[in-house]
């Protein structure tokens, strides 16, 4: 039996991490291989099953497979082999789709994305199955390079951990959106550095949790040069006794003047037994910047629910509509319509299942016990 050397939750950066769930996911018994489907997009299609490329079901296009140097991240350093996308100056690639299937075996995959000056790429990743899926991705964007990335975490059980290390050159742009809407625990870990003047970074998404699942993200954006912009927009919905945690930090170097950094962290509690933790953080060493953050946790607006029900909308439907609008705020930033629709469909499926379950439980609790007053 392999002994896992995992980070301690006594460390501030890992305070909300569910290392117990990760260890349990790594020890899951094998499960049947689920069906994996690609979105209707052109370009490369990579299917990894327990970290191994299924060559018959894959079409690499410009992607190569091979060893990738390990980093020093406690989880990410386990991934040393995977896929690489390199584009020359001014090159534009069709979308790259990567589907990760977990069946309970050891499952680590690395990735490297290197875009030369004015190159452009789009990447869509999907996680399905059960077990521990561990990913490490390194991104280097040259001058005016552009990357759009979308990650869907829809495993039925287990744990998904990701580590992203992203460096942006002068005028480069990186827009990343993550959705966690399955039954798995999640650790989203990212470090973005705007290493060139005028860089633009957007990193956000939505965590949807229920039962006793714990999901978290820990993202740090460092502005190292002037005139950079960054936006972190996250939404969390927690039901039952689950926990969603969002930690977002912005660091502005002393000479990174004219920086514009924004954070928006919002949590929605579907039950008062659920928990949402929010931790926005600003470290500013420059004096000519525009940085702001907002963090709020609450329940569905009772007045909005009353208004919708007064117009004939059933209570369950009204709750679903309001929750969907809350989540869509983060997902509608995805530029590719096919991808955006898939993410919204995942969120809708999660909401429908969660709210239907709550309605059934409420109906059962409302049934009479069968005992009369004289019993």
């Amino acid at each position: 039996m392999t002994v896992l050397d995992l980070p301690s939750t006594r460390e501030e950066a890992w305070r909300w991490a569910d290392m117990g769930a990760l260890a349990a996911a790594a020890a899951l018994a094998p499960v049947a291989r689920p069906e994996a489907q690609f979105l209707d997009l052109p370009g490369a299609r990579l299917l990894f099953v327990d970290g191994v490329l299924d060559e018959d079901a894959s079409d690499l296009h410009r992607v190569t497979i091979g060893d990738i140097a390990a980093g020093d991240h406690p989880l990410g350093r386990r991934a040393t082999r995977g896929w690489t996308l390199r584009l020359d100056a001014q090159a534009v690639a069709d979308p790259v789709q990567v589907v990760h299937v977990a069946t309970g075996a050891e499952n680590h995959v690395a990735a490297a994305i290197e875009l030369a000056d004015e190159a452009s790429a789009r990447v869509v990743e999907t996680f399905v199955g059960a077990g521990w899926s561990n990913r490490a991705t390194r991104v280097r964007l040259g001058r005016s390079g552009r990357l759009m990335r979308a990650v869907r975490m829809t495993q039925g059980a287990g744990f998904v951990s990701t580590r992203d290390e992203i460096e942006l050159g002068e005028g480069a742009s990186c827009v990343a959106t993550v959705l966690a809407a399955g039954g798995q625990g999640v650790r989203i870990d990212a470090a973005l550095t705007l290493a060139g003047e005028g860089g633009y970074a957007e990193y956000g998404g939505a965590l949807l949790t229920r039962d006793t699942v714990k999901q978290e993200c820990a993202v740090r954006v460092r502005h190292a040069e002037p005139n950079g912009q960054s936006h972190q927009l996250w939404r969390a919905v927690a039901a039952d006794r689950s926990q969603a945690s969002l930690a977002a930090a912005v660091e502005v170097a002393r000479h990174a003047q004219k920086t514009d950094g924004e954070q928006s962290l919002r949590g929605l509690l579907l039950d008062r037994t659920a928990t949402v933790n929010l931790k926005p953080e600003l470290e500013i060493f420059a004096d000519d910047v525009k940085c702001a953050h907002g963090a709020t946790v609450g329940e569905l607006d009772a007045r909005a629910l009353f208004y919708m029900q007064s117009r004939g909308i059933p209570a369950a439907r009204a709750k679903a509509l309001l929750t969907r609008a809350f989540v869509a705020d983060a997902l509608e930033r995805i530029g590719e319509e096919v991808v955006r629709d898939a993410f919204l469909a995942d969120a809708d499926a999660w909401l429908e299942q969660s709210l239907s379950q709550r309605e059934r439980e409420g109906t059962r609790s409302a049934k009479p016990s069968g005992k009369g007053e004289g019993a």
Side-chain angles (χ1 to χ4, degrees):
M1 179 178 178
T2 303
V3 178
L4 295 177
D5 180 18
L6 299 177
S8 170
T9 54
R10 288 191 289 269
E11 302 175 41
E12 179 62 23
W14 298 85
R15 60 182 295 192
W16 291 318
D18 193 355
M19 293 295 97
L22 188 156
L28 278 177
V31 300
R33 174 174 167 175
E35 182 180 355
Q37 295 183 344
F38 292 98
L39 299 180
D40 186 16
L41 294 170
R45 296 185 172 191
L46 283 68
L47 177 62
F48 285 93
V49 180
D50 294 327
V52 179
L53 181 72
D54 184 335
E55 296 183 3
D56 293 336
S58 301
D59 187 354
L60 298 183
H61 280 235
R62 300 188 184 188
V63 174
T64 60
I65 303 297
D67 293 333
I68 297 175
D72 57 2
H73 187 264
L75 301 181
R77 66 190 177 198
R78 298 171 182 270
T80 58
R81 185 171 178 81
W83 59 275
T84 299
L85 174 65
R86 291 189 176 93
L87 295 182
D88 297 330
Q90 299 183 341
V92 177
D94 285 330
V96 176
Q97 289 192 72
V98 187
V99 174
H100 303 281
V101 177
T103 69
E106 188 168 337
N107 189 352
H108 307 282
V109 175
I113 302 173
E114 300 177 6
L115 305 185
D117 295 351
E118 300 184 14
S120 177
R122 292 166 288 169
V123 176
V124 182
E125 295 187 67
T126 301
F127 291 82
V128 297
W132 177 26
S133 299
N134 183 43
R135 303 293 177 263
T137 304
R138 292 184 181 180
V139 177
R140 299 291 181 270
L141 304 182
R143 177 177 52 81
S144 299
R146 298 180 302 279
L147 174 66
M148 296 190 69
R149 186 159 171 254
V151 181
R152 309 160 65 199
M153 300 178 178
T154 57
Q155 285 192 187
F159 200 95
V160 176
S161 58
T162 62
R163 169 63 175 179
D164 293 343
E165 297 178 359
I166 303 173
E167 182 178 300
L168 286 73
E170 179 183 354
S173 170
C174 178
V175 177
T177 304
V178 182
L179 171 65
Q184 78 278 287
V186 167
R187 164 78 181 192
I188 300 164
D189 194 319
L192 294 84
T193 301
L194 281 69
E197 183 173 356
Y200 178 87
E202 188 171 311
Y203 201 107
L207 306 183
L208 311 181
T209 64
R210 61 170 174 254
D211 300 325
T212 57
V213 169
K214 294 183 179 180
Q215 298 179 350
E216 68 152 343
C217 79
V219 180
R220 174 171 288 270
V221 177
R222 182 174 185 270
H223 289 263
E225 295 295 335
N227 298 305
Q229 293 186 54
S230 67
H231 301 273
Q232 297 182 66
L233 189 150
W234 288 94
R235 299 293 180 258
V237 179
D240 305 316
R241 296 183 179 277
S242 65
Q243 176 178 296
S245 303
L246 304 172
V250 171
E251 178 185 340
V252 182
R254 189 173 303 279
H255 64 282
Q257 306 294 344
K258 305 295 183 181
T259 286
D260 184 351
E262 179 186 11
Q263 299 166 307
S264 175
L265 311 180
R266 295 178 60 191
L268 177 63
L269 298 174
L270 298 183
D271 296 286
R272 295 190 177 183
T273 51
T275 301
V276 173
N277 300 308
L278 305 180
K279 184 188 177 187
E281 185 178 354
L282 298 175
E283 297 180 13
I284 303 173
F285 300 97
D287 55 12
D288 186 7
V289 302
K290 183 172 67 172
C291 293
H293 64 72
T296 60
V297 179
E299 299 175 287
L300 289 172
D301 189 332
R303 291 175 296 181
L305 284 172
F306 176 79
Y307 175 82
M308 296 174 73
Q309 291 178 70
S310 71
R311 294 299 184 270
I313 301 175
R317 178 62 175 165
K319 291 178 181 178
L321 289 173
L322 290 176
T323 307
R324 187 188 194 279
F326 178 83
V327 174
D329 189 27
L331 303 183
E332 288 181 346
R333 297 178 172 287
I334 300 173
E336 188 92 36
E337 183 178 1
V338 172
V339 180
R340 182 173 63 249
D341 289 346
F343 275 59
L344 290 172
D346 290 336
D348 286 343
W350 185 93
L351 291 170
E352 182 179 355
Q353 183 175 353
S354 299
L355 294 174
S356 296
Q357 177 180 322
R358 290 159 53 81
E359 188 175 10
R360 290 193 301 270
E361 292 175 350
T363 301
R364 286 198 298 268
S365 64
K367 288 183 178 180
S369 63
K371 296 182 179 180
E373 292 182 357

